[in-house]
Amino acid sequence: MSKQELAYRTIRKRIIEGVYGPGYRLVIDELARELGCSAIPVREALRRLEAEGLLEFVKNAGARVVSIDPLEYCDVLSTLAVLEGYATVLAAPHMTPEDFQKLRALEAEMERAVGIGDMLRYSQLNRAYHEVIYERCPNRYLVSQIELAWARLDSMRHSIFVLLPARARSSLEDHRRITTLLEQGGPADEIERVVRDHKLATLEAFRRWSVESGKALDGHEDGYAPASMSLSE
């Protein structure tokens, strides 16, 4: 592994895991000393992370982890509702019996996580569930855009299941329904709608939480497609 790749992976992992929180300032010389390399590979790594939307460069301040923006969180989540619905439809014909076994096993683990109230674990399993599906999506550019959006949400440090643990239970039921549709070779438009509704339900739960907690999302009252709308409409 090159020094640039090592720096990139190390810093990215720390951002995703919350070691470097929103607004955290990254000092190139300090990172270079810690990682045992020159400033050049660290600077290149930071530029890669900036391109992914995890960092921003501020004049006279350098690189820092992006701050949490609830409005942007909702924008990204609503976009994912469209992308993930379409990606699941494309993946459906390529799913194997082994894939369905993995999905059912993940559902069982998610149920255990809900039972003990481990919402961070549930969030990780939720990601793993969808990754099994997108491994079968033949449109790799589409998958890459989903992964970038996931990274953007991770960088904002909001685990919706930690904020809203009640959403995990209904989310688990959504997963079971999605798996059943895929196993039974359900209609493409129904698969797309169910996956899109799944993501938009999380968005709606977050918006209600925002209002109830005094973080109303001004200007976004009419900014989202209804959950029943399909990509083909």
Side-chain angles (χ1 to χ4, degrees), residues 124-138:
Q124 294 167 349
L125 293 167
N126 175 70
R127 171 72 63 84
Y129 174 93
H130 291 286
E131 285 176 341
V132 170
I133 297 173
Y134 303 144
E135 274 294 310
R136 299 301 182 186
C137 178

Side-chain angles (χ1 to χ4, degrees), residues 139-154:
N139 187 328
R140 301 317 297 172
Y141 178 77
L142 173 60
V143 174
S144 72
Q145 296 308 298
I146 290 172
E147 290 172 345
L148 284 174
W150 280 348
R152 186 70 180 120
L153 293 184
D154 286 340

Side-chain angles (χ1 to χ4, degrees), residues 37-56:
C37 62
S38 69
I40 295 175
V42 173
R43 187 175 294 109
E44 291 174 347
L46 297 184
R47 288 300 181 187
R48 285 178 65 183
L49 293 165
E50 179 190 29
E52 291 182 7
L54 297 178
L55 297 179
E56 58 186 351

Side-chain angles (χ1 to χ4, degrees), residues 5 10 20 50 58 74 87 100 103 113 127 129 135 142 145 149 152 165 176 179 184 192 194-195 205 221 224:
E5 186 67 20
T10 301
Y20 297 156
E50 179 190 29
V58 181
C74 288
F100 297 132
L103 295 180
R127 171 72 63 84
Y129 174 93
E135 274 294 310
L142 173 60
Q145 296 308 298
R152 186 70 180 120
R176 288 174 172 149
T179 303
Q184 296 177 350
E192 180 196 328
V194 169
V195 174
E221 292 305 312
Y224 303 103

Side-chain angles (χ1 to χ4, degrees), residues 26-206:
L26 294 154
V27 180
I28 292 176
D29 289 341
E30 291 180 0
L31 285 168
R33 282 195 297 271
E34 178 187 351
L35 297 172
C37 62
S38 69
I40 295 175
V42 173
R43 187 175 294 109
E44 291 174 347
L46 297 184
R47 288 300 181 187
R48 285 178 65 183
L49 293 165
E50 179 190 29
E52 291 182 7
L54 297 178
L55 297 179
E56 58 186 351
F57 279 84
V58 181
K59 187 177 181 179
N60 299 324
R64 69 181 184 187
V65 179
V66 294
S67 299
I68 294 171
D69 183 343
L71 294 179
E72 185 177 359
Y73 183 89
C74 288
D75 286 343
V76 175
L77 206 59
S78 62
T79 301
L80 273 172
V82 177
L83 299 181
E84 292 193 14
Y86 187 44
T88 304
V89 167
L90 295 181
H94 307 282
M95 300 288 290
T96 68
E98 290 76 17
D99 293 328
F100 297 132
Q101 289 176 5
K102 290 178 183 178
L103 295 180
R104 292 303 187 189
L106 286 165
E107 289 167 9
E109 289 190 55
M110 283 190 276
E111 185 169 22
R112 284 192 288 271
V114 170
I116 63 175
D118 189 346
M119 295 300 102
L120 286 176
R121 175 61 176 159
Y122 184 91
S123 183
Q124 294 167 349
L125 293 167
N126 175 70
R127 171 72 63 84
Y129 174 93
H130 291 286
E131 285 176 341
V132 170
I133 297 173
Y134 303 144
E135 274 294 310
R136 299 301 182 186
C137 178
N139 187 328
R140 301 317 297 172
Y141 178 77
L142 173 60
V143 174
S144 72
Q145 296 308 298
I146 290 172
E147 290 172 345
L148 284 174
W150 280 348
R152 186 70 180 120
L153 293 184
D154 286 340
S155 75
M156 294 184 207
R157 211 68 62 246
H158 269 303
S159 172
I160 193 69
F161 303 114
V162 174
L163 290 175
L164 305 167
R167 171 59 189 146
R169 176 62 65 182
S170 57
S171 171
L172 176 55
E173 293 305 315
D174 291 346
H175 289 134
R176 288 174 172 149
R177 186 179 180 191
I178 292 167
T179 303
T180 297
L181 275 172
L182 293 171
E183 282 180 321
Q184 296 177 350
D189 58 348
E190 185 176 1
I191 292 172
E192 180 196 328
R193 178 180 58 79
V194 169
V195 174
R196 192 170 184 178
D197 285 358
H198 166 63
K199 189 63 66 175
L200 289 176
T202 300
L203 170 60
E204 186 57 34
F206 179 75

